[in-house]
Amino acid sequence: MTVIGSPRYSFLAKLFGAAALIGLADLFFYDNEPGWTLGGFALAWTLVLGVTRPDVRHHRAARAALVVALLFGVMLVDDPGPLDWCLFGLALMSASLLPLRRFDDAIRWGLRIALHGIFGLATPFRDARRLARRCPSRAFVSISGLLVLPVAGGAVFLYLFAQANPLIASTFAAIRFPDLSAVIFHAIFWFIVLLAVWPALRPHRAVLRFDFADGTGKADALHLPASALILSLITFNAIFAVQNGLDLAFLWSGAALPAGVTPAEYAHRGAYPLIVTALLAGAFVLLAARPDGDGARRPLVRRLILLWVAQNLLLVASSMLRTIDYIAASMLTGWRIAALLWMGLVATGLILITWRMVTGRSVAWLINANALAAGLVLTGVCAVDLGAIAADWNVRHARRGDTLDLCYLERLGPSALLPLIDLERRAGGPVLRGRVNYLIDEAMGRLEREQRDWHSWTWRGARRLEAAKARVRPHAAPPPLTDGWMMGCGGLRVHVGPDAPTPAPLTKSPRS
């Protein structure tokens, strides 16, 4: 008798759960463009893990990881993206492993999850081999022998009846067997899904036996003399003071730059190299400010470290100001928003390093605090559309409509739809208005196509389409392209033929 909660029942529950996820993945993703379905599958996967793994339900940290996985699943329903999916995977795999292995620090846990993904590929084969060992070959032979006579005899009689009875023959002729190639591709897809979901339900025990050094071995072996630390910190502080002094003189005060150097060039060239400089400085501070080091116990060294961290924070602030000035001189993009967030994380890391030096915290505390800060920032990025934010800022802050990079707005697709509608309301001149109307039509058409298919439908897309339909106005229909003309980026008509006629003026027609 099989008892609920026994290993046999637990394995069967996971088997049925995996089969349900495979069927759902086939319905959602096979030969279809993913949309909300990615979030729906993530939520279903989380539910199956919670139902088939009692140890996950009863473990406090694993339950918290499940809640985080559900949060990212909802974000994937709203607007799916690779970052949301990666963070969902980290949360789900953490929920799977936490009942079996205690969390230590973010680096070692990340390595453990990576190994879990690698070794997990072998888990279905391992369990299939165990099942084969539990099924006696004698029983298989006896079952096969039992089925041979009825199957073979029934096939013979059906063949004879089909020859004698045209109704039976027509019934067999109407049967259409699936294309063999389609069956093979479906089977490959199911197997890939099985490789993905099964390790979460049945983690490989080899992963749990792996342990990693905490990364402090080399640092402990490196004991820099206090005199070397003092000399290095004095040198570094002096060099950084020169750079920060120039930034204070030209960047923060707004003073005129030397001849030949434009504000945009000064802002753009220094933003990213200075962040690399701050990262290298942070690594040196991490080494010099070890609580167990000889130099960190000396008041002079500690003061020099604090001064240098303060200079690095000013350096990061200058890098952020450079980026903001460059955005004001050109435009805002999603990657520049991400760069500003990254600079904020660098500053947070420097502050945490200093706090660790002052309070004597462990390396694990520093790693986990930085991982938590990064996780919070990445979660916030998943909850918003950086492209829409960039497009809205560019439209609102453009001095003139013709200074906008319409090609960039076109690449953003539906993310730029609502800002484009706002731009069309105040666009001056028929040429600019025609280009903006073309981009609105393209973005709205793409969004409507995505929303019509239930596979690619997204919650955010539905809200955006409803808002666009409420705000868009009937506008001029673009004339058809004639010979010698082609549509370039940003809705710009490009003349490619020597004798092409001038495009016809826009005529008023309602939006279809």
Side-chain angles (χ1 to χ4, degrees):
M1 177 179 176
T2 303
V3 181
I4 294 178
S6 65
R8 181 181 300 178
Y9 174 83
S10 176
F11 183 81
L12 288 176
K14 294 169 184 174
L15 198 61
F16 283 120
L21 290 175
I22 290 173
L24 193 65
D26 187 83
L27 175 66
F28 281 174
F29 306 127
Y30 189 82
D31 203 23
N32 290 300
E33 184 178 351
W36 78 271
T37 51
L38 204 60
F41 183 79
L43 294 174
W45 193 356
T46 307
L47 179 63
V48 168
L49 179 63
V51 169
T52 60
R53 291 276 305 275
D55 56 340
V56 172
R57 298 195 305 270
H58 299 152
H59 193 275
R60 181 181 300 176
R63 287 199 306 269
L66 272 185
V67 171
V68 175
L70 288 172
L71 172 65
F72 285 116
V74 173
M75 290 183 181
L76 286 165
V77 171
D78 182 57
D79 188 40
L83 179 59
D84 312 51
W85 181 256
C86 291
L87 294 177
F88 162 77
L90 287 175
L92 191 78
M93 293 303 108
S94 296
S96 177
L97 294 180
L98 277 170
L100 308 173
R101 182 65 187 256
R102 186 180 63 85
F103 180 84
D104 30 30
D105 65 63
I107 292 180
R108 282 184 282 186
W109 193 254
L111 292 173
R112 196 166 289 117
I113 288 179
L115 283 180
H116 172 64
I118 295 172
F119 282 99
L121 298 176
T123 306
F125 302 100
R126 179 201 62 181
D127 290 337
R129 187 176 67 251
R130 290 180 179 177
L131 282 177
R133 289 177 180 174
R134 292 184 178 182
C135 294
S137 57
R138 189 176 301 173
F140 177 77
V141 172
S142 62
I143 294 174
S144 301
L146 185 66
L147 295 176
V148 166
L149 182 59
V151 171
V156 171
F157 287 126
L158 283 175
Y159 175 76
L160 294 176
F161 284 140
Q163 298 298 318
N165 192 327
L167 295 178
I168 298 178
S170 61
T171 301
F172 280 121
I175 297 176
R176 293 291 181 266
F177 293 98
D179 184 16
L180 183 60
S181 61
V183 173
I184 293 175
F185 285 126
H186 270 279
I188 294 174
F189 178 79
W190 296 341
F191 183 67
I192 292 173
V193 176
L194 178 65
L195 289 178
V197 303
W198 191 250
L201 307 180
R202 297 265 299 172
H204 202 296
R205 297 284 172 175
V207 177
L208 307 177
R209 294 194 294 267
F210 276 92
D211 208 349
F212 305 94
D214 60 3
T216 60
K218 287 187 177 181
D220 290 340
L222 270 174
H223 289 286
L224 296 177
S227 56
L229 279 177
I230 293 173
L231 186 59
S232 299
L233 287 169
I234 291 174
T235 304
F236 297 160
N237 271 300
I239 295 174
F240 274 55
V242 173
Q243 173 62 43
N244 286 325
L246 291 173
D247 281 342
L248 290 172
F250 295 106
L251 187 65
W252 291 91
S253 68
L257 290 167
V261 180
T262 64
E265 182 185 6
Y266 186 80
H268 181 59
R269 287 187 59 182
Y272 302 117
L274 292 182
I275 285 298
V276 176
T277 304
L279 287 172
L280 293 175
F284 181 82
V285 170
L286 188 62
L287 175 65
R290 289 199 327 271
D292 60 337
D294 296 332
R297 298 190 184 100
R298 297 199 176 191
L300 178 59
V301 173
R302 294 169 69 89
R303 293 191 190 99
L304 288 172
I305 289 175
L306 291 175
L307 175 61
W308 199 34
V309 169
Q311 290 214 73
N312 275 279
L313 290 175
L314 178 58
L315 196 70
V316 173
S318 298
S319 299
M320 297 178 75
L321 183 60
R322 286 169 182 264
T323 305
I324 293 171
D325 287 347
Y326 187 68
I327 289 169
S330 55
M331 67 174 183
L332 181 64
T333 66
W335 283 111
R336 287 169 188 168
I337 298 174
L340 289 171
L341 294 174
W342 167 246
M343 294 173 191
L345 283 176
V346 172
T348 302
L350 290 169
I351 294 172
L352 290 173
I353 290 173
T354 307
W355 184 255
R356 181 211 170 203
M357 179 189 72
V358 173
T359 60
R361 300 275 186 170
S362 65
V363 174
W365 175 88
L366 180 63
I367 293 172
N368 293 335
N370 278 280
L372 177 61
L376 291 175
V377 170
L378 292 176
T379 301
V381 169
C382 291
V384 298
D385 187 344
L386 296 184
I389 294 174
D392 183 68
W393 191 94
N394 289 329
V395 168
R396 285 189 291 107
H397 290 82
R399 299 182 184 89
R400 303 187 314 276
D402 55 2
T403 62
L404 276 169
D405 187 350
L406 295 182
C407 293
Y408 175 69
L409 296 182
E410 182 181 22
R411 289 196 299 270
L412 291 176
S415 295
L417 177 58
L418 297 180
L420 283 170
I421 294 174
D422 293 338
L423 177 62
E424 191 269 340
R425 292 176 180 271
R426 56 188 182 90
V431 176
L432 176 61
R433 191 175 296 111
R435 293 179 64 186
V436 174
N437 286 336
Y438 170 80
L439 297 182
I440 292 174
D441 287 339
E442 288 294 306
M444 184 169 282
R446 174 181 164 184
L447 186 58
E448 287 174 339
R449 288 192 299 272
E450 292 173 351
Q451 296 303 109
R452 278 197 299 267
D453 186 352
W454 69 270
H455 294 91
S456 57
W457 182 93
T458 64
W459 191 5
R460 181 178 296 173
R463 298 195 306 271
R464 180 175 286 152
L465 183 59
E466 182 180 1
K469 287 181 176 179
R471 293 162 58 179
V472 73
R473 299 182 302 184
H475 58 249
L481 291 172
T482 57
D483 292 340
W485 291 87
M486 63 175 292
M487 189 63 71
C489 76
L492 181 65
R493 291 174 173 243
V494 181
H495 183 230
V496 294
D499 301 322
T502 303
L506 297 175
T507 58
K508 293 287 182 181
S509 66
R511 167 183 286 278
S512 59

